[in-house]
Amino acid sequence: MKVFLTGGTGLVGRAVVRALIERGDEVVCVTRDRKRALSRLSRPVEIVEGDPTVPGAWQQALGDCDAVVNLAGEPVAAKRWTRKRKALLRRSRLECTRNVASAINASERVRVLVSASAVGFYGDGGADPLYEENEGGRDFLSRLAHEWEGCAQEADNGRTRVVLLRIGLVLDREDGALPRLVLPYRFGLGGPLGDGRAYVPWIHRHDLVRAILHVLDRDAIAGPVNAVAPDPPTRREFARTLGRVLGRPSGFTTPGFVLDLVLGEMSTMVLQSCRAVPKALRTNEFQFE
């Protein structure tokens, strides 16, 4: 299978590229920086230089592939959500995905699109389990995920299967969220954020990559898929486990109002509860490792 990737140089994308190549697939990646991509990606991989938020020649390369994995998007938690930052978060996801869908619709070859979304789609669900059929929330991340998925669904043309991968907090010791979560524990300041009762929908990078390959290969899977580990912990349980693994205290609590002051609107991402359940993956015989 020949697979086209956006976001191939990111934390998840790099691992997806490696896994596809290891199983014998051909891989094509679009990137703004060819030199950087060549230094970060496994060989052999075909690099197409271009900006996926802008229509261009890269779309022709996409049209010559059997499948597309769309992972592009500016990191949500990298900076405070100013008006300018929120516009960038929207543009990096929506424009890229619209262009991907447009290229798929112009192609006779592409048979499946696996497009990233986020469990932020659900908003604050409290203690209730959240399945793929649940409705979305109304905060900024919820609306963004809803629009993002709408752009991907434009590729649902009758010949292309579209999977909307609602990804939770991706954990891996190399990069991403986990090293930042660990840092306060080094200084004895580890513990839950807010009141600790909110649920944390997480997934290890290894299982996320396996889930992406799983949905690529199974024609029966379409529509929303919660890419999260089973039985999500509360923030208090998460903090207690992390402290035990690190051998550090985990009782320091950061009140919600402090997070509101420091993070502004972005605090909703940390304080909201999302007890997302991987129903679609489980139904389709995915085994978590």
Side-chain angles (χ1 to χ4, degrees):
M1 181 162 57
K2 191 173 183 180
V3 184
F4 187 95
L5 266 84
T6 71
T9 60
L11 172 68
V12 177
R14 296 194 306 274
V16 171
V17 169
R18 185 164 56 246
L20 288 169
I21 289 173
E22 285 175 353
R23 73 176 198 171
D25 291 322
E26 295 179 68
V27 180
V28 183
C29 286
V30 60
T31 177
R32 296 180 184 88
D33 188 338
R34 181 182 181 86
K35 185 177 179 180
R36 178 173 177 268
L38 286 171
S39 69
R40 303 193 80 182
L41 296 177
S42 304
R43 305 292 197 280
V45 58
E46 180 183 343
I47 303 296
V48 177
E49 198 158 17
D51 181 351
T53 66
V54 179
W58 64 270
Q59 291 172 297
Q60 296 174 358
L62 182 154
D64 290 332
C65 294
D66 304 298
V68 179
V69 178
N70 178 36
L71 301 174
E74 284 288 320
V76 172
K79 296 179 181 179
R80 191 180 176 99
W81 292 350
T82 62
R83 182 177 299 180
K84 183 178 178 180
R85 181 66 185 172
K86 287 164 75 172
L88 179 60
L89 293 176
R90 294 185 74 253
R91 186 170 67 253
S92 67
R93 287 161 174 76
L94 307 189
E95 295 306 318
C96 171
T97 306
R98 286 192 184 105
N99 290 331
V100 164
S102 176
I104 290 173
N105 289 329
S107 168
E108 294 292 331
R109 181 170 174 179
V110 180
R111 290 293 174 265
V112 55
L113 165 64
V114 178
S115 193
S117 179
V119 291
F121 173 91
Y122 299 109
D124 192 340
D128 294 332
L130 297 170
Y131 305 101
E132 286 85 355
E133 60 267 26
N134 279 81
E135 294 183 358
R138 297 184 179 181
D139 58 273
F140 170 69
L141 282 185
S142 301
R143 296 194 306 271
L144 176 56
H146 182 80
E147 290 182 88
W148 198 5
E149 293 183 6
C151 293
Q153 286 171 323
E154 293 175 14
D156 188 1
N157 51 33
R159 63 180 179 272
T160 302
R161 176 170 58 93
V162 176
V163 180
L164 308 168
L165 209 60
R166 293 175 181 166
I167 301 172
L169 178 68
V170 181
L171 298 182
D172 186 272
R173 67 191 309 163
E174 287 183 21
D175 200 353
L178 187 56
R180 295 197 299 271
L181 291 172
V182 163
L183 187 60
Y185 290 80
R186 305 296 187 197
F187 300 98
L189 299 175
L193 303 176
D195 61 16
R197 293 197 297 265
Y199 283 83
V200 186
W202 71 280
I203 187 168
H204 193 279
R205 181 173 70 157
H206 173 73
D207 272 337
L208 177 56
V209 172
R210 292 178 55 252
I212 290 171
L213 270 57
H214 189 83
V215 300
L216 269 177
D217 294 341
R218 281 160 177 77
D219 292 341
I221 303 178
V225 172
N226 286 341
V228 292
D231 304 319
T234 63
R235 292 202 174 275
R236 189 171 302 282
E237 292 166 340
F238 187 96
R240 188 180 298 126
T241 302
L242 192 53
R244 184 172 66 249
V245 170
L246 296 170
R248 304 293 293 170
S250 59
F252 187 87
T253 300
T254 305
F257 76 87
V258 173
L259 293 169
D260 287 336
L261 289 172
V262 173
L263 301 177
E265 187 182 359
M266 195 167 72
S267 66
T268 58
M269 184 177 64
V270 217
L271 295 173
Q272 285 184 345
S273 179
C274 182
R275 196 177 182 180
V277 178
K279 178 180 175 182
L281 285 176
R282 280 288 184 79
T283 301
N284 288 278
E285 302 176 335
F286 181 76
Q287 299 295 322
F288 288 88
E289 290 184 358

